[in-house]
Amino acid sequence: MNAMTTEQIEAALAAHRGWSMEDGKLTREFRFENFIEAFGFMTQVALVAESINHHPEWFNVYNTVRVQLTTHDAGGVTQNDFVLAKAMDEAV
C-alpha cells in the first residue's frame, strides 16, 4: 500500500471530524467519562486493529486516549489509517 498524497489526505480528513495531521501522522484525542470507558474503547479498537493487521500508536492516561496513525511500511499515512480512524470514530 502506498502513502497518500497531501491532497488525498486533506480530502479524506474532511470526512473525519476531530482528526488532524501532526508530525506526519493522523492524530486524534478521545476523552471519556473515566478510565474504564477509555480502556473499553481501547479494547474494542484493539480487536478491530488486530483483525485488519494495522495497529495504532496510542497513549492512555486515565480518561484520555491519544492516537496517532501511520503506516510505517509505506512511510506515511495510507487508506488503512483512515479505515482504522473510522472504526475508532464508530467505537465512540
Side-chain angles (χ1 to χ4, degrees):
M1 183 163 285
N2 295 325
M4 297 170 73
T5 66
T6 301
E7 293 80 18
Q8 290 171 320
I9 292 169
E10 288 174 1
L13 278 172
H16 294 275
R17 186 183 313 183
W19 291 90
S20 63
M21 287 298 291
E22 189 175 300
D23 298 324
K25 298 176 181 178
L26 190 57
T27 304
R28 182 167 179 190
E29 189 169 280
F30 296 91
R31 292 188 185 267
F32 301 91
E33 288 292 318
N34 53 49
F35 175 74
I36 295 297
E37 286 187 16
F39 194 82
F41 165 79
M42 292 177 74
T43 301
Q44 186 176 352
V45 170
L47 296 172
V48 173
E50 187 65 19
S51 75
I52 63 173
N53 195 31
H54 192 65
H55 305 93
E57 297 175 14
W58 53 11
F59 183 75
N60 167 243
V61 175
Y62 184 59
N63 69 333
T64 303
V65 179
R66 180 170 171 76
V67 179
Q68 291 188 309
L69 302 174
T70 188
T71 304
H72 298 284
D73 293 345
V77 172
T78 66
Q79 194 61 38
N80 280 348
D81 297 302
F82 282 98
V83 167
L84 191 52
K86 181 180 179 189
M88 290 182 179
D89 291 342
E90 291 172 353
V92 175

